[in-house]
C-alpha cells in the first residue's frame, strides 16, 4: 500500500492519528518524516496483512461478481470491489472491500466499506478510519454509508454505525486542512500522552520534552491541567514544583477518594525526596507472595502467571507458562494450588490487571477464589495520592528502578512483552520465552522491593532524611532554630484554640445605636458603671463631743458638721416634689 505524499490530500492515517495526538497528525500530513517504526505497530500491521490475505481469498472463493477496485468497476455495479484506494474532495482512504448494498440517490449503486484489522477487539482508531472511507464514499456516491464492517483477527465481521462519526471526521479534516497554508505552520507543541509508547515519533518527542522539562513528562498530567498551568505562566516541571505550599492538614471527610497532587510530585522530583501524604498500611508477614500476570489483553489470554514466594529468608519464583490458550486452565489451577499452600500469606500485586485476570479466570473455569480475593493487596492503592516518589511515573517499572530493581532486557515493559510473546508465537524461539519469564521474575522482585520500602516508610519515616511529610514538613534546624519552631508552634496552637471562629467579626451597628449615656461599650476596657443621676440629699452629721473609746474624754470640736451628698433613696424618689 505504498503511496506518494501530496501535502494537500489528507489521508485517513492522518485523521486517525489526530484522534491520538494533533502533533502526530501534523508530522504525518505535512512532512515526509515517518519516524522510527514501532515494534508493536509493525506486528499489528503484519497480523492485519495476514488477516487481509485470508479474507480476500475467501471473498474470491465465495463471490462471482468481484474484481479489484477501479473507477469503471465502481460505476458499473460489480457486487464486490476489493483493495479500494478511494480519493475525493482532497481526502484519500483505503478499504479492503466495497460491497454493494443498493442504490444511492442519482448514483446507480451504493457500497458499504469493509476494513480488515490486526486485532481481536475493535479500537476507536479503526472505527475512525472506516468513517473516513465512508466520508470519501459520500463524495463519490452522493450519500454516506450508514454502516461499515470491520473484520477482526478471529474472522468475525463487526458492523459499525458510522452516522455519529461523520461530524468528528469533518471537524478533524477541517483542522488538518488549515495546516496546508503558506507559509507552512509550526507543528503543534509536544504533549506526551498515552499513545506515545506506540508512536513512531516517540524518540524525537521524548527528547524535546526532556530538553524543555515539559509538564507532560509527568505521567498523570492531563491536557486540561497543562492548559490551566500554562494560563498561570507555569511551563516546566521545575516551575510547577514551586507551586506547592505545605498546609496544615484539614479534617477530611471519611470516604473521600485519594487525590493525586501533581505539584507534590514535581516537588519530590526537584528535592529528590519521598513525600508522604498518608502513611502506608503495609504489615509484614513471615511468608509473603508477590503476583504478576502476563497476558494478551486483546485476546483476554493470560499466558504466564508468576508467583514469587518469600518464606522467611528463602525466595523462590514460580512461573506457570501456557503455550496456547488451551493450557490456560492448567496454569490457572497450578497457581491456585501453589497459593493455597500458604493460606495466611498476603498476595501483593500492582494495579488492577491481576484482579481482573483472576476474576475472569475464576469465572471461566468455575473456581471459588474467595480466599485468594481476600488476601490480595494492591500496592498501587497504597502509593496513589499517598506516597510520592521522586519519579515522573507511577508504573511498577519506574518505582522498581528507583528502589534498585533491574531488568535484564533494557527495553523491558508491558508493551514490549506483547512483542516478545508475538515473536515467540511466530517462531517458537526459546529466547523470547526466557525473556518473558525473566521479565516476570524481575517484576515480582520489584514488587517485593516496593513492599519492603512501604513497610519501612510506615515505621521509620521520621528517621529517614530523604523522606518528608506533605502536611507537616520535618523541621531540620539548629538547636536555636528548633526552640524558635517550638515557640512558634505554641503561638499557632493557642491562637487557634482561642479563636474558634475562622473569621474577623464586627459588632453590629445596632449595639452602638442602642447605647445610652456616657462611657464606652460594655466589655470595652474604658467601660465603668456610672451612678444614675437622681434627686440628691445632703446629709449632715454633727461632730461627736466625747470619745467613743475613752470614756469621759472630751473631743476637740471641729467647728462644723460633716457633710455627704447621697443618691436619693426610693422613698425620697417617690416623695412628691
Ligand atoms: S510521540 Fe507522542 S507527542 Fe510525539 S507525535 Fe507521537 S503521540 Fe504525539
Amino acid at each position: 500500500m505504498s503511496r506518494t505524499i501530496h501535502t494537500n490530500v489528507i489521508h485517513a492515517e492522518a485523521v486517525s492519528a489526530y484522534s491520538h495526538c494533533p502533533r502526530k497528525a501534523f508530522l504525518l500530513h505535512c512532512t515526509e518524516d515517518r519516524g522510527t517504526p514501532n515494534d508493536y505497530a509493525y506486528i499489528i500491521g503484519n497480523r492485519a496483512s495476514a488477516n487481509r490475505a485470508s479474507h480476500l481469498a475467501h471473498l474470491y472463493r465465495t463471490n462471482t461478481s468481484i474484481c479489484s477496485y477501479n473507477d469503471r468497476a465502481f460505476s458499473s455495479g460489480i457486487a464486490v470491489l476489493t483493495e479500494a484506494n478511494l480519493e475525493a474532495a482532497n481526502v484519500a482512504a483505503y478499504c479492503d472491500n466495497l460491497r454493494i448494498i443498493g442504490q444511492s440517490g442519482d448514483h446507480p449503486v451504493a457500497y458499504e466499506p469493509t476494513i480488515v484489522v490486526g486485532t481481536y477487539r475493535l479500537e476507536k482508531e479503526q472505527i475512525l478510519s472506516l468513517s473516513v472511507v465512508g466520508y470519501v464514499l459520500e463524495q463519490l456516491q452522493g450519500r454516506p454509508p450508514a454502516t461499515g464492517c470491520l473484520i477482526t483477527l478471529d474472522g468475525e465481521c463487526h458492523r459499525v454505525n458510522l452516522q455519529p462519526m461523520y461530524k468528528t471526521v469533518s471537524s478533524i479534516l477541517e483542522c488538518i486542512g488549515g495546516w496546508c497554508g503558506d507559509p507552512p505552520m509550526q507543528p503543534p507543541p509536544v504533549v506526551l500522552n498515552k499513545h506515545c509508547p506506540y508512536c513512531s515519533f516517540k524518540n524525537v518527542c521524548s527528547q524535546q520534552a526532556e530538553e524543555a522539562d515539559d509538564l507532560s513528562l509527568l505521567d498523570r498530567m492531563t491536557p486540561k491541567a497543562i492548559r490551566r498551568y500554562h494560563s498561570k505562566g507555569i511551563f516546566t516541571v521545575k516551575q510547577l514544583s514551586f507551586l506547592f505550599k505545605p498546609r496544615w492538614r484539614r479534617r477530611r471527610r471519611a470516604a473521600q477518594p485519594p487525590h493525586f497532587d501533581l505539584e507534590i510530585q514535581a516537588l519530590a522530583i526537584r528535592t529528590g525526596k519521598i513525600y508522604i501524604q498518608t502513611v502506608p498500611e503495609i504489615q509484614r508477614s513471615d511468608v509473603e507472595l508477590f503476583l504478576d500476570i502476563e497476558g494478551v489483553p486483546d485476546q483476554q489470554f493470560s499466558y504466564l502467571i508468576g508467583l514469587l514466594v518469600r518464606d522467611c529468608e528463602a525466595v523462590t519464583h514460580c512461573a506457570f507458562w501456557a503455550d496456547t490458550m488451551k493450557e490456560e486452565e492448567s496454569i490457572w489451577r497450578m497457581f491456585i494450588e501453589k497459593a493455597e499452600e500458604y493460606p495466611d500469606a498476603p498476595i501483593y500485586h500492582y494495579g488492577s490487571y491481576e484482579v481482573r485476570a483472576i476474576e475472569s479466570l475464576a469465572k471461566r473455569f468455575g473456581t471459588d477464589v474467595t480466599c485468594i480475593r481476600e488476601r490480595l493487596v494492591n500496592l498501587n492503592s497504597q502509593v496513589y495520592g499517598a506516597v510520592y516518589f521522586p519519579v515522573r511515573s507511577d508504573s511498577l517499572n519506574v518505582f522498581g528502578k528507583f528502589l534498585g530493581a533491574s531488568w535484564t532486557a533494557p527495553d523491558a515493559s508491558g508493551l514490549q512483552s506483547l512483542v516478545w510473546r508475538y515473536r515467540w508465537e511466530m517462531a517458537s524461539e526459546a529466547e523470547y520465552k526466557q525473556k518473558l519469564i525473566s521479565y516476570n521474575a524481575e517484576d515480582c522482585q520489584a514488587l517485593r522491593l516496593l513492599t519492603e520500602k512501604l513497610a519501612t516508610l510506615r515505621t521509620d519515616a521520621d528517621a529517614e532524611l530523604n523522606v518528608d511529610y506533605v502536611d507537616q514538613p520535618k523541621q531540620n534546624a539548629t538547636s536555636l532554630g528548633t526552640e524558635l519552631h517550638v515557640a512558634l508552634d505554641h503561638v499557632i496552637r493557642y491562637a487557634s484554640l482561642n479563636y474558634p471562629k475562622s473569621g474577623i467579626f464586627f459588632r453590629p451597628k445596632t449595639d452602638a445605636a442602642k447605647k445610652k449615656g456616657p462611657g464606652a461599650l460594655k466589655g470595652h476596657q474604658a467601660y465603668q458603671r456610672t451612678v444614675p443621676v437622681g434627686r440628691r440629699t445632703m446629709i449632715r452629721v454633727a461632730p461627736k463631743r466625747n470619745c467613743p473609746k475613752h470614756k469621759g474624754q472630751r473631743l476637740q470640736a471641729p467647728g462644723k458638721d460633716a457633710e455627704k451628698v447621697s443618691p436619693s433613696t426610693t422613698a425620697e424618689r417617690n416623695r412628691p416634689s
Side-chain angles (χ1 to χ4, degrees):
M1 284 195 294
S2 63
R3 59 179 170 74
T4 323
I5 297 166
H6 307 285
T7 46
N8 283 334
V9 177
I10 302 169
H11 291 266
E13 186 190 9
V15 178
S16 56
Y18 190 96
S19 67
H20 294 298
C21 171
R23 181 182 169 84
K24 183 177 180 184
F26 181 94
L27 295 173
L28 289 175
H29 179 62
C30 302
T31 71
E32 298 203 4
D33 184 10
R34 290 292 169 268
T36 315
N38 176 276
D39 280 351
Y40 182 74
Y42 177 74
I43 284 169
I44 297 296
N46 273 352
R47 287 185 157 195
S49 299
N51 196 17
R52 182 173 301 121
S54 71
H55 175 72
L56 290 178
H58 173 77
L59 280 183
Y60 277 100
R61 267 201 315 274
T62 52
N63 288 280
T64 47
S65 176
I66 182 168
C67 72
S68 288
Y69 172 85
N70 60 61
D71 290 346
R72 252 215 346 248
F74 182 70
S75 47
S76 61
I78 306 278
V80 182
L81 301 172
T82 59
E83 298 174 277
N85 279 303
L86 306 170
E87 188 173 327
N90 274 347
V91 182
Y94 170 86
C95 72
D96 289 296
N97 74 64
L98 292 169
R99 188 178 283 274
I100 201 160
I101 48 168
Q103 221 178 333
S104 171
D106 297 338
H107 200 266
V109 286
Y111 283 100
E112 183 189 61
T114 297
I115 290 181
V116 179
V117 298
T119 56
Y120 287 88
R121 283 193 299 188
L122 297 189
E123 287 169 11
K124 271 190 192 166
E125 185 187 349
Q126 295 159 349
I127 297 173
L128 194 60
S129 296
L130 192 63
S131 310
V132 182
V133 179
Y135 177 89
V136 181
L137 272 179
E138 179 186 5
Q139 317 303 318
L140 296 172
Q141 61 186 25
R143 219 170 40 181
T147 54
C149 293
L150 289 166
I151 311 288
T152 44
L153 269 179
D154 49 9
E156 217 172 293
C157 174
H158 303 262
R159 184 155 275 111
V160 183
N161 180 11
L162 299 180
Q163 298 284 13
M165 298 299 296
Y166 289 129
K167 210 172 152 189
T168 313
V169 171
S170 301
S171 67
I172 294 178
L173 287 172
E174 199 179 314
C175 187
I176 296 177
W179 290 336
C180 301
D182 197 24
M185 287 183 66
Q186 286 296 309
V190 173
V191 179
L192 300 181
N193 56 74
K194 286 197 172 73
H195 182 67
C196 295
Y198 303 84
C199 180
S200 55
F201 301 105
K202 185 180 79 175
N203 296 342
V204 184
C205 290
S206 302
Q207 196 186 337
Q208 275 195 32
E210 286 280 352
E211 281 165 12
D213 191 24
D214 191 76
L215 290 175
S216 65
L217 284 168
L218 302 182
D219 253 16
R220 291 206 168 264
M221 184 67 76
T222 60
K224 191 177 165 192
I226 289 177
R227 281 197 296 277
R228 184 159 47 86
Y229 285 124
H230 282 186
S231 71
K232 291 180 183 177
I234 304 295
F235 295 91
T236 66
V237 175
K238 191 169 184 184
Q239 289 170 344
L240 180 65
S241 71
F242 289 100
L243 283 196
F244 178 72
K245 297 264 183 312
R247 295 172 190 99
W248 288 93
R249 187 195 289 268
R250 287 192 198 137
R251 205 176 298 158
R252 291 191 172 193
R253 270 174 271 148
Q256 221 176 15
H259 162 72
F260 189 89
D261 195 322
L262 291 160
E263 292 161 24
I264 304 175
Q265 189 185 19
L267 177 70
I269 292 168
R270 177 167 60 83
T271 56
K273 285 184 179 179
I274 298 169
Y275 280 84
I276 299 178
Q277 174 81 65
T278 310
V279 179
E281 292 165 0
I282 296 289
Q283 304 271 9
R284 301 307 304 273
S285 310
D286 288 343
V287 184
E288 290 171 334
L289 308 181
F290 302 91
L291 171 69
D292 188 46
I293 301 179
E294 311 299 339
V296 184
D298 187 38
Q299 288 172 269
Q300 294 196 348
F301 169 36
S302 301
Y303 63 87
L304 173 59
I305 304 179
L307 198 66
L308 188 84
V309 182
R310 188 189 69 77
D311 191 345
C312 296
E313 293 307 308
V315 179
T316 44
H317 177 248
C318 312
F320 307 110
W321 171 271
D323 281 351
T324 62
M325 287 182 87
K326 283 183 190 150
E327 293 175 14
E328 201 179 17
E329 183 172 357
S330 74
I331 66 165
W332 166 244
R333 298 213 182 279
M334 280 192 262
F335 159 69
I336 295 286
E337 210 175 293
K338 190 76 188 169
E340 283 175 354
E341 281 178 28
Y342 309 94
D344 300 322
I347 305 174
Y348 294 106
H349 65 99
Y350 193 85
S352 59
Y353 183 79
E354 276 71 23
V355 179
R356 277 188 275 123
I358 286 174
E359 293 299 338
S360 160
L361 289 164
K363 198 172 163 191
R364 270 190 282 153
F365 303 123
T367 324
D368 179 12
V369 284
T370 317
C371 66
I372 300 270
R373 201 184 287 129
E374 282 167 359
R375 289 156 56 199
L376 290 174
V377 182
N378 183 359
L379 291 181
N380 181 258
S381 64
Q382 297 285 322
V383 176
Y384 178 80
V387 180
Y388 293 83
F389 288 92
V391 289
R392 292 170 182 155
S393 164
D394 61 354
S395 71
L396 177 63
N397 198 289
V398 173
F399 283 157
K401 280 181 186 160
F402 173 73
L403 297 171
S406 59
W407 279 262
T408 314
D411 55 348
S413 69
L415 188 61
Q416 192 58 37
S417 73
L418 293 175
V419 174
W420 290 334
R421 172 73 196 189
Y422 175 76
R423 287 184 180 154
W424 181 83
E425 281 176 7
M426 287 294 100
S428 287
E429 283 180 33
E431 175 202 352
Y432 291 115
K433 181 175 174 179
Q434 191 46 51
K435 273 188 173 191
L436 284 163
I437 292 175
S438 303
Y439 167 65
N440 181 269
E442 286 154 357
D443 267 3
C444 290
Q445 183 61 21
L447 265 177
R448 189 185 151 205
L449 286 177
L450 182 58
T451 310
E452 279 169 8
K453 186 67 191 176
L454 293 176
T456 314
L457 288 178
R458 182 172 169 267
T459 51
D460 303 340
D462 287 338
E464 290 196 31
L465 282 177
N466 69 337
V467 178
D468 212 337
Y469 296 98
V470 171
D471 291 322
Q472 288 166 289
K474 286 185 199 167
Q475 290 160 352
N476 300 321
T478 58
S479 55
L480 179 63
T482 311
E483 253 178 64
L484 283 170
H485 283 304
V486 171
L488 282 170
D489 274 352
H490 273 87
V491 170
I492 291 166
R493 180 168 306 144
Y494 291 121
S496 301
L497 275 177
N498 294 332
Y499 199 57
K501 302 270 170 69
S502 57
I504 296 171
F505 286 84
F506 296 93
R507 189 179 295 279
K509 277 182 181 172
T510 47
D511 277 6
K514 278 181 195 164
K515 181 182 165 293
K516 285 176 187 163
L521 291 166
K522 190 172 183 179
H524 191 274
Q525 62 179 4
Y527 170 81
Q528 62 187 50
R529 191 168 175 274
T530 49
V531 178
V533 179
R535 282 182 58 182
R536 296 179 179 193
T537 312
M538 176 72 77
I539 300 167
R540 286 196 179 81
V541 182
K544 285 200 186 312
R545 291 171 181 240
N546 297 318
C547 176
K549 285 189 181 171
H550 308 96
K551 275 200 171 170
Q553 196 172 329
R554 303 276 297 175
L555 291 171
Q556 200 176 350
K560 61 173 186 176
D561 293 348
E563 290 180 354
K564 175 89 178 160
V565 178
S566 78
S568 56
T569 62
T570 313
E572 281 168 343
R573 277 201 301 275
N574 293 339
R575 193 188 302 150
S577 53

